[in-house]
Amino acid sequence: MNRLRLALAAVLAASPVSALLAQSQAPQPGPRAWLQCRACHTAKTGEANKVGPNLGKLFGAKAGTLRANYTYSPALKASGIVWNDKTLDAWLANPALTVPGTRMAYPGLANPAERKALIAWLRKETR
Amino acid sequence: MMKSSRHDDATTSALTRRTLVKAGLAAALMPGLAKAATTRKAPASPSAPADVLVLGAGLSGLNAGLLLEEQGFRVTVLEGRSRVGGRVYSLTDIPGQPDAGGAVIAPGYARLLDRAGQFGVPLRPLASPVDKNGPMAIHVSGQTIPAAQWAGSPLNPFPQGPLRAVPPYAVGMAALRTSPPVLQSVGDWREPAFADRDISIADYLTAKGWTPEQLRLAFAVNPGYGNSATDLSVLMMWHLQENMRIMAADGSPVVQAVGGNARIPQAMAAALKTEVRFNQQVVGVRSDAAGVEAVTAEGQVHRARWLLCTLPASTARLVRFDPALPLLQQTAIDEITYNRTFQVFFEVAEPFWETDGLPASMWTDTSAGRLMPLGALAGGPALLLAYVNGFAADLLSRMPPEQAVARVQESITRIRPAAAGKLRVLHHVNWQDDPFAGGAYTCWRPGQIRAGFASAFDAPVGRIVFAGEHTARLARGMEGAMESGERAALQLMELI
């Protein structure tokens, strides 16, 4: 039985069926939350800006200073925010409340667990 | 699930994911079969039931379809027309390929711009041509007034003050601007805290001393939204104001896809793994615990586990849902109003504005609506668009098309005799009588946001998820459609 399972696993790993099986799984919370961000942002250092700025080396940076070739809103530039887990959590919960006058077209991610997952994902991707 | 005589995409609703996986396993053990099963391309085979049936191949349905397919879900998109794009419609037989719907891509239309970039659809700035005869002139009560003379005109109903210098097409929005803005976040307008602001513009501005004549000029002549100050919600207009601020982004110019904005939904549809099914006008949606069926006007039945309805409310109201939708959703579908537009595209044989010395563009209180030149102002073939809204568009919609188009043309030549004999009708577009649109774009009447019509489609109803421009929370127009498709796809990822 175990052998059969192993054999099956080997076949699955090597075949396009693994893709078929994978489809029954929705993406993990971090990557799934990112689906809402990626039309505007790129995450990895060196990628291009979109309507929103590239987020490479986000953690530890001062808000509105990260990309010299991006026009941040005056409100964000003047916010004095330094991006870390805590400031990102507040920002992602409600950007407009955190920085009135921001141009980020996002109403906020209400679920704290989803925010945590997204921030953890960002920390990894934007290194 | 009801029995039906013809099954199209799905052989049976009993074919679950488990059996699908089993079939896949069997295929894996037989390499030839595996290849056949997994490299399957469009058209959808009868043995592959979709996870999600998407009604509508407009921007919202296509964006949702792409996101779902990317995550491995099987999607079938049904479209009633024989083309994709819905109300994104480029007139490709007219020089310059003007857009008769979804004409302007603002710099903040992130999702739309992202898809254009992803699929290599080139964009170009949609700059208004500079007119040596000046900016858009105003024609009211039979008189033409250059923009610069509007502040001094006896026909200007506004008292001395900041609003008097604002042209009538901008004075409504100018009057609603407050400092700080009433809404400070793009999502606020639907919050219960603002529900008591969902009153008519007429109530709001009459209390501030506005006269009926001021309200008429600012909100009932060529209105971008609604037909009058009475049927327009002030809360909705504040939402639009905040939305416009965000969508203006860094102030970059607005753009259009080269060859027309329909190139974007066309590229999105081409990227789908399964071909869009055309001429599938869905008239019924039946669902039970196991799945969903969509029945077309011709009796074809499409099945899936979930259904994403992206039809505009004005079209969804022609669909019978079984079981019936809850009262809120059905009432919203029945009552959400859509803006009226009637457009006539003319070829200009000779630039008559060089003869009469008036600006080519003109804002009128006649059946000509707004006159806007498209393309070259001097030299080469020029196009003139008569863009009519509100009551005037309603009236034209009720007339036989030839008569309506003639009425528009007569209005132009009455205002500008130099245009006589210089205009040739190329095309007219009337979204109201289009069975797959029923109107141009959503506009909530006063009280409809408070009644929950805007947020009625946030949550699924059984196995039905909703998207479409009328369900968007942040953006409006094309970007609203994209946003709603994204939101619906994320919901479905969690549900499936």
Side-chain angles (χ1 to χ4, degrees), chain A residues 1-94:
Chain A
M1 192 64 199
N2 261 346
R3 223 187 206 171
L4 178 64
R5 201 173 288 161
L6 275 176
L8 213 57
V11 170
L12 286 180
S15 79
V17 170
S18 54
L20 196 70
L21 283 179
Q23 79 175 5
S24 62
Q25 284 177 3
Q28 293 302 301
R32 190 171 67 211
W34 174 252
L35 294 178
Q36 301 167 67
C37 316
R38 68 174 194 187
C40 284
H41 297 286
T42 51
K44 292 195 192 304
T45 305
E47 288 183 306
N49 296 326
K50 293 187 177 181
V51 169
N54 166 255
L55 301 177
K57 305 266 183 288
L58 174 72
F59 287 76
K62 195 162 169 286
T65 64
L66 205 54
R67 292 285 164 273
N69 59 349
Y70 183 81
T71 312
Y72 294 90
S73 69
L76 191 68
K77 279 198 280 197
S79 69
I81 289 174
V82 174
W83 295 121
N84 56 41
D85 288 6
K86 198 166 159 250
T87 54
L88 275 170
D89 187 67
W91 167 255
L92 290 170
N94 192 331

Side-chain angles (χ1 to χ4, degrees), chain A residues 7-8 11-12 15-17 19-28 31-40 50-52 70-73 94-97 99-108 114, chain B residues 17 20-21 23-25 27-29 34-35 37-38 51 67 70-74 107-111 113-115 184-188 242 245-251 473-474 479 486 490 493-494 496:
Chain A
L8 213 57
V11 170
L12 286 180
S15 79
V17 170
L20 196 70
L21 283 179
Q23 79 175 5
S24 62
Q25 284 177 3
Q28 293 302 301
R32 190 171 67 211
W34 174 252
L35 294 178
Q36 301 167 67
C37 316
R38 68 174 194 187
C40 284
K50 293 187 177 181
V51 169
Y70 183 81
T71 312
Y72 294 90
S73 69
N94 192 331
L97 203 68
V99 180
T102 176
R103 286 198 292 255
M104 184 152 105
Y106 188 61
E114 284 179 35
Chain B
R17 175 168 300 285
L20 196 72
V21 168
L25 272 180
L29 300 167
K35 194 158 191 288
T38 54
D51 292 311
L67 282 160
E70 184 191 340
Q71 300 300 327
F73 299 106
R74 286 168 186 270
Y109 280 18
R111 296 168 188 85
L113 290 165
D114 194 40
R115 288 296 188 196
Q184 301 198 13
S185 169
V186 280
D188 275 357
E242 171 61 5
R245 183 185 76 82
I246 299 277
M247 292 303 152
D250 60 0
R473 181 177 171 194
L474 304 178
E479 185 62 11
E486 178 188 288
L490 285 158
M493 283 172 207
E494 221 162 302
I496 297 174

